[in-house]
Amino acid sequence: MKVLWLFAHPEHRSLNGALRDVGLRSLKAHGHQYRESDLYAMGWNPVVTGADFGHDGVDRLRVAAASKGAYLDQTLSDEVLVEQEKLAWADTVVLQFPLWWYGMPAILKGWFDRVFVKGFGYGVIDRRTGRTLRYGEGKLAGRRAMIIVTAGAPEATIGPRGVNGDIDQLLFPLTHGTLWYSGITVLPPLVVSGADRLPDLEFTRVSQELERRLLSVPTAEPVPFRYQNCGDYDEDLVLRPDVARCETGLAAHIAGN
Amino acid sequence: MKVLWLFAHPEHRSLNGALRDVGLRSLKAHGHQYRESDLYAMGWNPVVTGADFGHDGVDRLRVAAASKGAYLDQTLSDEVLVEQEKLAWADTVVLQFPLWWYGMPAILKGWFDRVFVKGFGYGVIDRRTGRTLRYGEGKLAGRRAMIIVTAGAPEATIGPRGVNGDIDQLLFPLTHGTLWYSGITVLPPLVVSGADRLPDLEFTRVSQELERRLLSVPTAEPVPFRYQNCGDYDEDLVLRPDVARCETGLAAHIAGN
């Protein structure tokens, strides 16, 4: 594997830091290559501004149009180009972060906001058919991603009927709306719950699980999100009536539901 | 009303900027007070670091513990204190942002990451009962929030069975997991879809709708998210079997489902 490891925790002397060390050590021991984007260590700026697009303001241009222009003209800021290059190199993306307010820390959200510009992460058109390539297709297709997320919440509370909502659905804007949208195949996340009071014994178990999950990335069964262009959606991109008939929630976008 | 208006778009000469002007003008004309957090104009830094908590690193302390300590010791950074003070003043919060990768722009996500520290936005304990106050209860209870969100996606694609997932469920980590979690009553969002190609006539309609929605905030029917402590959840904070029996998705946390 060629792994891009995105790490978004402020403190290396943390559970997240320890798990990252386990993961990277394991990749190395098994002959895999990796590159890291340790966002806090890099001082990553997560705020989209016109400076990314070669001018001072976003101007009257919309952000999307401005970002596509800069992408095509190759005038995106260097910081963004470096991250795009890492992603182009990788066949695997690991995203590791603590769950803050049921989502990514801002520093990671802003990695996507800045790096996944129009023409790269979205707004990719198939020249032959004129179709927009998204949800399973796009420039980033062929890659696999796995999320490693720590949550203070106990396991039951982020389960299917837990008070916080099901973790798979809480992560949907990232797994489906960002990764799968841009063509990346998504594996089930590794969720470490009760993370702010994890006993030592549990750390050993989690480390082993992490290693197992990491090394099986190339062959593991992905989340079977539906493809946009394989007949499940009608011309308005709405699920056809006979698809996932009894499901109105986000799970309807997973094949088999 | 005393409104805190959170604005998270980089460009004032945008649809979002124009809608904000309409909204603030309307509040003023009707004798309401408002204060603004125009995050881009403020140069808001959305990244949680130890500097917020009165020391250089987050140290071995967990972020949550460090933030609660600084909150109780009143050593949080000035930037954070100013935002907490605005929120304490307000009875109404308007959150206005463009939907980027099916969530908030990083600059707004990081407003919550930094401002909603432990002891303020969460981790609030009722001294009398020892219960943790969340989901409908907490220090921020009594306030109402409304989201104004623009999305490039056409309306059908962010509807209940649209390819991008239902907008109410995509916003769940913010509406339920952040606002309602910290005690704030949430109104249905005002969603402006197809926002990157809105005809002039539509702008007039949206402006009128915005005005109507804004002025009715104090009396409008909120989203009936379930209270944590009113019997719907068991001791593990899982929905009791007889509650929302046929619903496994996020909608199960709304009363009446």
Side-chain angles (χ1 to χ4, degrees):
Chain A
M1 285 186 273
K2 293 199 244 180
V3 179
L4 171 58
W5 193 294
L6 283 165
F7 182 71
H9 195 284
E11 177 51 56
H12 284 190
R13 292 167 301 174
S14 62
L15 173 60
N16 271 284
L19 290 174
R20 183 194 62 160
D21 293 346
V22 167
L24 294 182
R25 220 168 22 233
S26 174
L27 287 176
K28 199 168 176 186
H30 288 81
H32 298 293
Q33 293 172 266
Y34 65 80
R35 292 168 73 180
E36 236 193 308
S37 290
D38 182 344
L39 299 180
Y40 270 92
M42 290 156 62
W44 176 257
N45 166 25
V47 178
V48 171
T49 67
D52 276 350
F53 316 136
H55 51 83
D56 288 339
V58 180
D59 207 22
R60 263 166 298 188
L61 286 170
R62 280 103 181 171
V63 174
S67 78
K68 184 158 193 176
Y71 174 67
L72 295 176
D73 300 346
Q74 304 184 298
T75 54
L76 283 169
S77 68
D78 287 345
E79 276 170 50
V80 171
L81 288 173
V82 166
E83 298 306 302
Q84 290 184 344
E85 188 271 316
K86 286 181 189 169
L87 202 50
W89 167 84
D91 54 36
T92 305
V93 187
V94 172
L95 299 97
Q96 188 188 356
F97 59 95
L99 194 68
W100 286 355
W101 291 112
Y102 301 102
M104 290 175 273
I107 202 169
L108 181 55
K109 174 55 166 64
W111 189 87
F112 289 101
D113 289 350
R114 288 185 69 203
V115 175
F116 276 35
V117 300
K118 188 164 185 176
F120 181 79
Y122 73 109
V124 180
I125 312 285
D126 181 337
R127 284 199 193 173
R128 200 174 46 80
T129 62
R131 284 188 324 191
T132 299
L133 300 178
R134 54 166 107 82
Y135 290 122
E137 301 178 304
K139 258 184 200 146
L140 299 173
R143 290 170 181 73
R144 296 189 148 217
M146 186 174 81
I147 291 167
I148 302 167
V149 63
T150 59
E155 189 176 357
T157 69
I158 48 173
R161 288 170 58 85
V163 70
N164 299 311
D166 184 78
I167 186 69
D168 288 332
Q169 304 206 3
L170 294 170
L171 294 174
F172 190 87
L174 170 58
T175 54
H176 179 269
T178 308
L179 298 168
W180 181 240
Y181 188 109
S182 57
I184 300 174
T185 297
V186 182
L187 301 181
L190 175 62
V191 181
V192 184
S193 50
D196 53 353
R197 48 195 172 280
L198 202 75
D200 286 353
L201 228 102
E202 267 296 280
F203 179 76
T204 308
R205 191 193 60 75
V206 169
S207 298
Q208 288 167 348
E209 175 72 2
L210 167 61
E211 229 182 312
R212 191 186 65 72
R213 290 289 307 280
L214 207 50
L215 298 174
S216 66
V217 160
T219 55
E221 204 62 52
V223 181
F225 287 129
R226 299 182 191 281
Y227 287 84
Q228 173 176 295
N229 292 319
C230 290
D232 289 342
Y233 298 96
D234 66 20
E235 60 279 11
D236 294 323
L237 300 179
V238 172
L239 283 168
R240 293 185 191 283
D242 55 323
V243 173
R245 195 194 302 270
C246 303
E247 183 64 69
T248 53
L250 300 175
H253 302 284
I254 299 176
N257 284 346
Chain B
M1 285 185 272
K2 293 199 243 179
V3 179
L4 172 58
W5 194 293
L6 283 165
F7 182 72
H9 195 284
E11 176 51 56
H12 284 189
R13 291 167 301 174
S14 61
L15 172 62
N16 271 284
L19 289 174
R20 183 193 63 160
D21 293 345
V22 166
L24 294 182
R25 220 169 20 233
S26 173
L27 287 175
K28 201 170 174 184
H30 288 82
H32 298 294
Q33 294 172 266
Y34 65 80
R35 292 169 73 180
E36 237 193 308
S37 290
D38 181 345
L39 299 179
Y40 270 91
M42 290 156 61
W44 176 256
N45 167 24
V47 178
V48 171
T49 68
D52 276 349
F53 316 135
H55 51 82
D56 288 340
V58 180
D59 207 21
R60 263 163 300 186
L61 286 170
R62 281 104 179 169
V63 174
S67 76
K68 183 159 193 174
Y71 175 67
L72 295 176
D73 301 346
Q74 304 184 296
T75 55
L76 283 169
S77 67
D78 288 344
E79 276 170 49
V80 171
L81 288 174
V82 166
E83 298 307 302
Q84 291 184 343
E85 188 270 317
K86 285 182 190 170
L87 202 50
W89 167 85
D91 54 35
T92 304
V93 187
V94 172
L95 300 96
Q96 188 188 355
F97 58 96
L99 194 68
W100 285 355
W101 291 110
Y102 302 102
M104 290 174 273
I107 203 169
L108 180 56
K109 174 55 166 63
W111 188 87
F112 289 101
D113 288 351
R114 289 184 68 204
V115 175
F116 276 33
V117 300
K118 189 165 185 176
F120 181 80
Y122 72 109
V124 180
I125 312 285
D126 181 337
R127 284 199 192 172
R128 200 174 46 82
T129 62
R131 284 190 323 193
T132 300
L133 300 178
R134 56 166 106 83
Y135 290 121
E137 301 177 305
K139 260 185 199 145
L140 298 173
R143 289 169 181 74
R144 295 188 149 218
M146 187 174 82
I147 291 167
I148 302 167
V149 63
T150 58
E155 189 177 356
T157 69
I158 49 174
R161 290 169 57 84
V163 70
N164 299 311
D166 184 80
I167 185 69
D168 288 332
Q169 304 206 5
L170 295 170
L171 293 174
F172 190 88
L174 171 58
T175 53
H176 180 269
T178 309
L179 298 167
W180 181 241
Y181 187 108
S182 58
I184 300 174
T185 297
V186 181
L187 301 181
L190 175 62
V191 182
V192 184
S193 50
D196 54 354
R197 48 196 172 282
L198 203 72
D200 286 352
L201 226 102
E202 268 295 281
F203 178 76
T204 307
R205 192 193 60 75
V206 169
S207 298
Q208 288 167 348
E209 174 73 2
L210 168 60
E211 227 182 314
R212 193 187 65 72
R213 290 288 308 278
L214 208 49
L215 298 174
S216 67
V217 160
T219 54
E221 205 61 52
V223 180
F225 287 129
R226 297 181 192 281
Y227 286 84
Q228 175 177 293
N229 292 319
C230 290
D232 289 343
Y233 298 95
D234 66 19
E235 60 279 10
D236 294 324
L237 300 179
V238 172
L239 282 169
R240 294 185 191 284
D242 56 323
V243 174
R245 196 195 301 270
C246 302
E247 183 63 69
T248 53
L250 300 176
H253 303 285
I254 298 176
N257 285 345

